[in-house]
Amino acid sequence: MTEHVYMPLSVIEADRTDIDWLISSYMGAACSGHFDYDIEDRETLRMIRENLRSIVLQKKMKGFGRMTQTMIFERDGVRVGACIIAQIIGQPTMVELHIMLVDSAQRGNGYGNMMLDEVISRWHTECDIFVRCYPVSVQMINMLYRRHFISTTTFDDTSTLYLLPRQLPASQAHDMASYYQGDYT
């Protein structure tokens, strides 16, 4: 049985020194089916790399213009994960947890829970939080349900959009999915 570590994590803003690690971690997650990209395609790989560089260096998604914030989570100076938060264009009280990655060597230690809790603590009082997940992301989906996220929409690619409304009754949360605009992956 893995021992879960519940010591606080340091949270820093990503910089250029984090880009290669982000790309590598993202590609590992994509190989496991957590993102809807054909990572065998050279153009797709180029686009992913360019977008992650833009997200970190210019703080916006390349081609979409959505502003982003990339948080790197560390424990004792070692990267354990990252979260990329993206604005929802035209909706100042809505954000998307666009990407959440836990380093493959750090999985099973409770870091994903701590990272998700940090995202919620920073944005939930001011914003509705959206997350899009594919069925293979069972652990993430369970973490979302434990924190009262609501499944709102399932897309043709089998991904589902989850919502944590800041003050909206659950019965009305399903109507919010239509406000979600932009790149869903």
Side-chain angles (χ1 to χ4, degrees):
M1 184 170 178
T2 304
E3 178 182 334
H4 291 277
V5 182
Y6 292 103
M7 294 179 62
L9 298 175
S10 300
V11 183
I12 58 172
E13 185 76 20
D15 64 26
R16 69 178 56 256
T17 65
D18 298 304
I19 293 173
D20 289 339
W21 176 84
L22 276 169
I23 291 170
S24 175
S25 296
Y26 183 91
M27 298 311 286
C31 285
S32 298
H34 295 281
F35 302 106
D36 186 31
Y37 288 113
D38 176 8
I39 58 170
E40 301 297 320
D41 179 63
R42 281 184 174 280
E43 182 58 24
T44 300
L45 288 173
R46 185 193 62 74
M47 186 261 324
I48 290 169
R49 288 182 177 113
E50 271 188 31
N51 195 38
L52 286 172
R53 282 186 179 94
S54 179
I55 285 170
V56 172
L57 299 176
Q58 286 134 16
K59 300 185 183 342
K60 67 179 182 178
M61 291 182 182
K62 189 165 184 61
F64 298 103
R66 293 172 59 196
M67 301 307 295
T68 61
Q69 180 179 357
T70 305
M71 300 182 300
I72 300 294
F73 292 81
E74 296 181 341
R75 179 161 182 242
D76 298 328
V78 175
R79 289 183 197 107
V80 299
C83 290
I84 298 173
I85 305 299
Q87 76 175 138
I88 304 297
I89 294 176
Q91 301 296 328
T93 61
M94 296 180 189
V95 295
E96 174 193 18
L97 173 52
H98 181 65
I99 296 173
M100 185 169 124
L101 301 166
V102 176
D103 186 274
S104 60
Q106 304 294 333
R107 292 187 187 137
N109 291 314
Y111 295 135
N113 283 302
M114 288 186 267
M115 291 164 49
L116 183 56
D117 288 343
E118 182 67 22
V119 167
I120 292 168
S121 74
R122 288 182 183 218
W123 278 279
H124 187 243
T125 58
E126 301 295 323
C127 297
D128 298 327
I129 302 171
F130 288 92
V131 181
R132 187 172 180 178
C133 289
Y134 290 88
V136 71
S137 301
V138 173
Q139 197 167 0
M140 179 68 174
I141 293 166
N142 288 335
M143 290 189 318
L144 295 173
Y145 280 133
R146 283 194 305 271
R147 286 159 181 85
H148 308 289
F149 278 76
I150 301 161
S151 168
T152 63
T153 303
T154 299
F155 299 97
D156 290 341
D157 65 1
T158 71
S159 66
T160 300
L161 188 67
Y162 297 88
L163 164 68
L164 181 62
R166 74 178 177 275
Q167 296 174 342
L168 198 63
S171 62
Q172 295 176 10
H174 294 281
D175 299 330
M176 296 302 291
S178 63
Y179 289 109
Y180 188 87
Q181 301 173 8
D183 175 36
Y184 294 119
T185 53

